[in-house]
Amino acid sequence: MGRVPNKKKSRSAKSSIMNNVYNLDLEDEVDNITDSQVHSSRSLAALPVIKQLSSVDSTERAWAASCASNLIAGEENIRRLLLSKNLIRLLIERLTDDVYEVVYECIGTLRNLTAIGEYEICAEMFNKDILTPLMMLISKISTIIDNLLKGISYESDPIEGARKNIWIFTENIICILWALSETSQKALRRINNMNIVPFLMDFFTHIEKIPPKTVVAAAQCLHTMTDDNSDIYIQFQQNPQYAQILLNVVNLEINETSTNLNDNHLLMKVLCCGVILNLDSIIISTVTESDFNIHIINYLKSCLDYDIESAANDSIELASNIGTSKFVTKHPKDDLPTAEEEKLISINSRLTTLQLALELLTKICLEWFSQDDDNLQDEAQNDYEIVTDNFNKIMDIDDSISNNYDQSLLNRQEHLILNTFATDIIPNLIRLSRPTSLSYPEQLGHNVIPVKSVAPTITESLATVHLRAVECMNNFFLAMVDIVEEKWWFIKHRDAAKDTWTRLVEVAKLVAGKGIKVGAEDPGQKMRGAVLEALIGCLWTLARGLNGDLLLAENQILAFIQCYKSTISESMRVKLIGTLGAIARRQNAIEDNKLIGTFLIEIIQDLSRTNSPSIDCIAESLNAIYDVYADKDFDYDEPVFVREGYLNILESIVNNVHNMAESIDKQKSRDQRFRMDEVYINLVAFIKYKKDERFIK
């Protein structure tokens, strides 16, 4: 299994601030006639809104913008009707209105439109030049905020009456910029040229005087803008104090009694960690690496302590008390949420923050421990040397220290990241991968109407936490197998690695539950399949790192084989083949080897059938055979490879493998063709090698 790539322009935490208020949708108690009447009345209300946005009466213009905000949060067809009447153009035109209340309402409506998350909406805003009036507004609100923070009288403000809701107004503008920066490279370049980094950084400088939600919005925007955006890095190079400001936020002591404020502070700090990671080469030049390690890694580690099992149990109780079955967003101007709803909002916010922390830890594994490549398992050996050089450079290991790697590693401050992962983070990741009572919808079998979760949004968030935890583990394991010298973790922490195998097998059983056909899941079970496949990838990497030195439970091999036969996911089949191939290399387990060898041989013998295995499965099976039976001195080689006639079987499929390779279009599937050509060349060489090995003519 390849590394999980960094998810660029991730919007995983967007729901926590793009919508001001959440509630639990009550059970539908309205009949079809009433629904039709409501729909008809809203349709009739939509058209006057368009007209009144251009009214000479400023009160009507403000009302129209506010009304549009309510309507777009409702039925999709009403939103489509408004958009088809040039709603976006009219709202943008009103951003230069002489009356602040009109501008305020239009900004709020535009922000809510971006929260819908549709590319076409943001693209239309950019194409209709929303950034020009936004630049003007940013200039004005910067002055207002500066006056406010300095205690200067409101008479000198460039917008009269804006102070009363300046923070909400500012947050809405930042969220629009954030959404647009994710729309296209063209939009991002235009925003880069607006020079808004100083504007955003000011919120972190005066963090104690600004509402946390506004600072979170600034952090979200900055996190997105610094992700793989070299054009903006120069501003951080020219202002080295920004690095320390961000680290100060990460190190900020939180003593909030309000749950909402506490949740926002936690998210804010994780986002600042993300900005620092995006700018690591610049940050390291201005802040000591020791500070980086201590503040960033330790804080992200602390985020993993959240008790998701208790969160799940609390969510079930809260949702049951409310007497509802759906957890959805609502418009900010609706009634405020109840105490139970607020608690559910807080739980979901914490889970969202946890997801982001896991993504950042995954990024550390991806970018600090290795080069940016999606599948390091198939790299050439010379690439390994280059990556090792990069790793040594990052971790400040010179040649003399590298030669004494095992002796020096645990004694150096620079290796805090590795040691923290090994001793603290991995155990937490295992815990976070374990399903809770609310992680997945109940499995009821075929032809049974599925039961919805009592809190679907919490269920979705929990499942995403599991997936991110497993992805982070797999990236760490891959780095330990393919990058770090001497497979450090697998040698120094061998017992922990073997225990991790056992615990992840147990987790996989819990995720599978009553059984799931990965690739053909019910919609409600889709995340089960994604997490289960990610777990198989982890087990494959662990098996490789431990060289098959695993504690196998009874019938575990048969369970993997059955999983291969039941899934329709080709990627999962490849992972299962790789896992079984690694297990087969164990010594003193001849019967297990024979069971797996027979399984691998059956796959490649299916080449001649109409519904033969995929090219990737054939390639992985043959590569596994080459590795497993690479040496006649292995105790299973004679009783299995020789006596079962594997060599003759391999000779019989040479032409089929060659034809399969030739059938792949080099232009359309270059990588796959290269891999299959390599498999064919290796097959011919392997047959010759095994003949020479036993002097077969």
Side-chain angles (χ1 to χ4, degrees), residues 42 49 62-75 78-79 82 87 105 108-109 112 330-335:
R42 289 185 178 178
V49 164
W63 172 88
S66 177
C67 185
S69 186
N70 283 293
L71 289 171
I72 64 173
E75 294 92 341
I78 301 296
R79 181 166 66 249
L82 287 170
L87 173 65
E105 293 293 349
T109 303
N112 288 339
K330 72 176 182 178
H331 189 267
K333 295 191 176 182
D334 289 344
D335 294 337

Side-chain angles (χ1 to χ4, degrees), residues 637-646:
D637 193 81
E638 171 69 28
V640 179
F641 187 85
V642 176
R643 294 181 191 174
E644 296 298 319
Y646 286 2

Side-chain angles (χ1 to χ4, degrees), residues 402-668:
S402 296
N403 292 332
N404 297 287
Y405 190 85
D406 291 335
Q407 296 299 319
S408 64
L409 184 57
L410 297 177
N411 298 323
R412 293 177 59 84
Q413 175 67 28
E414 289 84 348
H415 299 295
L416 177 63
I417 296 177
L418 277 176
N419 292 318
T420 301
F421 263 90
T423 59
D424 298 326
I425 293 177
I426 293 301
N428 265 315
L429 294 178
I430 296 172
R431 176 181 59 82
L432 292 171
S433 68
R434 191 178 185 88
T436 70
S437 53
L438 192 60
S439 295
Y440 308 105
E442 186 179 355
Q443 294 169 305
L444 298 175
H446 299 293
N447 302 320
V448 178
I449 298 175
V451 177
K452 293 182 179 180
S453 167
V454 295
T457 296
I458 302 296
T459 291
E460 181 181 352
S461 294
L462 284 166
T464 303
V465 165
H466 300 324
L467 183 60
R468 297 290 176 262
V470 177
E471 289 173 343
C472 186
M473 271 190 288
N474 191 59
N475 276 15
F476 177 77
F477 298 155
L478 281 166
M480 296 303 104
V481 172
D482 294 318
I483 305 301
V484 179
E485 282 191 46
E486 305 297 330
K487 296 184 179 179
W488 172 80
W489 184 70
F490 289 99
I491 300 300
K492 285 290 185 180
H493 297 267
R494 194 165 191 80
D495 289 342
K498 293 167 73 171
D499 181 62
T500 298
W501 166 275
T502 301
R503 294 177 67 183
L504 289 185
V505 168
E506 293 174 357
V507 172
K509 290 179 181 178
L510 292 173
V511 174
K514 298 177 183 178
I516 180 168
K517 197 169 186 178
V518 177
E521 310 95 333
D522 294 330
Q525 302 297 329
K526 187 174 182 180
M527 283 300 291
R528 268 189 201 272
V531 175
L532 182 59
E533 182 168 343
L535 282 164
I536 296 298
C538 265
L539 293 173
W540 179 12
T541 312
L542 281 169
R544 288 199 306 122
L546 289 166
N547 292 319
D549 182 18
L550 308 165
L551 298 175
L552 292 179
E554 187 177 358
N555 297 324
Q556 203 167 97
I557 293 173
L558 287 174
F560 283 128
I561 292 174
Q562 183 56 44
C563 189
Y564 172 90
K565 293 178 179 179
S566 65
T567 183
I568 64 170
S569 167
E570 290 302 321
S571 59
M572 185 164 177
R573 284 177 174 170
V574 170
K575 296 178 179 72
L576 286 161
I577 293 169
T579 304
L580 287 164
I583 293 173
R585 293 198 288 271
R586 296 180 307 149
Q587 298 295 290
N588 303 313
I590 293 174
E591 289 304 312
D592 287 348
N593 180 276
K594 183 176 179 181
L595 180 60
I596 296 172
T598 301
F599 164 73
L600 296 174
I601 289 295
E602 286 176 351
I603 292 176
I604 63 174
Q605 283 182 310
D606 285 344
L607 261 172
S608 58
R609 298 182 183 178
T610 305
N611 57 340
S612 63
S614 70
I615 291 171
D616 289 335
C617 285
I618 294 293
E620 193 59 48
S621 297
L622 284 168
N623 284 332
I625 289 172
Y626 306 155
D627 291 339
V628 173
Y629 302 104
D631 194 328
K632 70 175 182 178
D633 291 333
F634 292 152
D635 65 356
Y636 50 71
D637 193 81
E638 171 69 28
V640 179
F641 187 85
V642 176
R643 294 181 191 174
E644 296 298 319
Y646 286 2
L647 186 58
N648 291 334
I649 296 172
L650 292 175
E651 286 186 295
S652 71
I653 66 164
V654 170
N655 288 335
N656 287 336
V657 172
H658 183 255
N659 292 337
M660 175 177 277
E662 290 292 319
S663 68
I664 302 172
D665 192 319
K666 292 181 180 179
Q667 302 300 320
K668 295 180 180 179

Side-chain angles (χ1 to χ4, degrees), residues 131-146:
L131 290 178
T132 295
L134 284 185
M135 288 176 66
M136 175 195 68
L137 289 172
I138 289 173
S139 176
K140 292 181 178 180
I141 64 174
S142 294
T143 301
I144 295 172
I145 292 173
D146 190 52

